[in-house]
Amino acid sequence: MQERDCIFCKIVRGEIPSKKVYEDDQVYAFHDINPVAPVHVLIIPKKHIFGIQHLEPEDECLVGHMFTVAREIAQELGVAPDEELNGGYRLVFNVGKDAGQTVFHLHLHLIGGRSMGWPPG
Ligand code: AMP
Ligand code: ZN
């Protein structure tokens, strides 16, 4: 999948509509079209990266930034845990098809608003 055809690159370029949650020069965040919980947001880099397997050393800051953005969004959307760590959310990268990866543009799932089981299915 090249950038030209990539569904998430199209979302970043505004060619496919999305419900934006956050944007800066490096990342874009939007509501998942098929949410698995009351809060389900995807945080993606604006530049096309296929996935965790394709990260380069120079992407380390970018990936760190994705986590900082996720934490801020969780706070904003009211799913961040309190001081006793009640409440909370899950951050997930699906890496490869067995893990459930279906879109091959790096994305961090932020899932919250309900209690979740472990291990995941
Ligand atoms: P993954 O299975 O980890 O690759 O996650 C891909 C996610 O992208 C799934 O949760 C899909 O529901 C979501 N998704 C696919 N297309 C869109 C879209 N056009 N807008 C928002 N979310 C999407
Ligand atoms: Zn892409």
Side-chain angles (χ1 to χ4, degrees), residues 2-21:
Q2 298 303 309
E3 265 182 75
R4 194 166 47 86
D5 305 313
C6 168
I7 185 169
F8 285 179
C9 283
K10 287 183 179 174
I11 284 176
V12 168
R13 293 196 296 264
E15 294 165 17
I16 291 178
S18 63
K19 287 193 201 158
K20 179 165 99 171
V21 175

Side-chain angles (χ1 to χ4, degrees), residues 7-8 11 30-34 40 42 94 100-103 107 109:
I7 185 169
F8 285 179
I11 284 176
F30 55 103
H31 290 284
D32 196 292
I33 203 167
N34 188 21
H40 188 171
L42 301 173
N94 291 325
Q101 187 177 3
T102 58
V103 176
H107 51 281
H109 294 261

Side-chain angles (χ1 to χ4, degrees), residues 6 9 11 27 33 36 46 51 55 67 76 78 86 105 115:
C6 168
C9 283
I11 284 176
V27 304
I33 203 167
V36 299
K46 285 189 166 176
L55 284 177
F67 281 104
E76 193 103 333
N86 294 310
H105 177 131
S115 63

